[in-house]
Structure formats: structure tokens, C-alpha cells
Amino acid sequence: MENARHLTRLSHVWLKQPVYFITTCIALRRPLLNRPEAHDIFREEWHGLKTRHGWLCGSYVIMPDHVHFFATPVPGEAQPLSRVVGKWKEWTAKRILAATGTSAPLWQPEFFDHVLRSETSRTEKWTYMRENPVRAGLVEHADAWPYAGHIDFQ
């Protein structure tokens, strides 16, 4: 069996209102994101997803070298997920690189997405996201992590 060079994305999802769990990482895993200016940039860009691409952003956790968030398409308005995440990465990269004085690239080329098919799956992913700063030794309690929240839904 031949190994795939890239992850294959589904062309169709047959859920009435799918919610995606998305993770994307910084190139070379540089710890650039756990700072207030990056948090502000992410929040502004997530707020713009609906008007620009027809997607809503849910809960999120920003780690020093990667980001997790939930997203769902607005029925009848949504552009393809790969385009939306690509544009989001482009906009955030330009702004964060300028704010931090860091050289490009900011993001790794790929991103991970997983369709949450049940409330149980969503709860499991949220717990994983929420506890990530604790597992990384950044805080003792998840509620103490300042770079987490939600935009359009929880």
C-alpha cells in the first residue's frame, strides 16, 4: 500500500450543521502566539470569518506554537474549509509577523481538521483543548489560561 503524501479531505460532509475541530501549528514550532497582541489579532480575524467566508468560529485555545478552534459553516454561505483556513492563516500571519518582528513563514503549510459527529466527540475535543495549557505546564488550572475563549458559539 502506498503512503499518501498529504492528508485527503472529504469533499462532502453529510451532517446538517457540522462542527469542525481545527488545529494549525507555527513553522518550526516557534513559541510566538501566547501574547496579548496575537490573541487580539486572532479574535479580530475569527470575527471576520462570517462576513468574509460564511463560517462561524466557536471555542478556541491559543498555545505558544499552535492554535485549536471549532468552526461551522453558515448554510448557503460557506466557502470551502481549506480556502477559509488558508485565508485566515494568511491574514493572521501578516499581522502577527508585523507585530512581533518575526520572519516568515509563520504557519506550517498544512492544518488538521476533524468533523465532530456527536456531542460526546465535541465535549472530548473541548476538554482536550481546554486542558492543553495545563498539560504543557503553562498554568495549574485551565481557567487561568488567558488565551482561550469563544467567538460565535461555545
Side-chain angles (χ1 to χ4, degrees), residues 38-48 60 62 148-151:
H39 189 199
D40 293 344
I41 290 166
F42 286 134
R43 288 188 57 84
E44 289 171 19
E45 295 299 339
W46 281 320
H47 276 290
Y60 65 87
I62 302 165
H150 68 277
I151 304 297

Side-chain angles (χ1 to χ4, degrees), residues 17-135:
Q17 188 62 46
V19 174
Y20 292 82
F21 169 68
I22 299 166
T23 300
T24 189
C25 299
I26 294 294
L28 305 175
R29 300 301 293 252
R30 296 173 293 175
L32 302 172
L33 305 180
N34 56 328
R35 54 183 72 196
E37 60 270 25
H39 189 199
D40 293 344
I41 290 166
F42 286 134
R43 288 188 57 84
E44 289 171 19
E45 295 299 339
W46 281 320
H47 276 290
L49 287 182
K50 183 173 191 257
T51 55
R52 290 184 186 128
H53 297 291
W55 282 76
L56 301 174
C57 178
S59 299
Y60 65 87
V61 174
I62 302 165
M63 295 295 291
D65 63 356
H66 66 282
V67 177
H68 299 292
F69 64 99
F70 293 147
T72 190
V74 176
E77 297 179 28
Q79 294 180 16
L81 179 62
S82 59
R83 174 174 168 70
V84 173
V85 174
K87 286 298 188 181
W88 178 83
K89 287 168 66 172
E90 177 185 335
W91 298 326
T92 57
K94 288 177 183 177
R95 295 183 66 193
I96 290 171
L97 292 173
T100 62
T102 306
S103 61
L106 179 68
W107 298 110
Q108 292 179 359
E110 299 287 331
F111 69 93
F112 171 82
D113 66 276
H114 176 77
V115 178
L116 304 174
R117 291 176 172 82
S118 68
E119 190 60 37
T120 301
S121 177
R122 190 166 160 180
T123 300
E124 288 170 358
K125 289 297 185 193
W126 170 240
T127 300
Y128 170 82
M129 285 170 50
R130 185 174 187 276
E131 294 298 320
N132 208 346
V134 176
R135 284 191 309 276

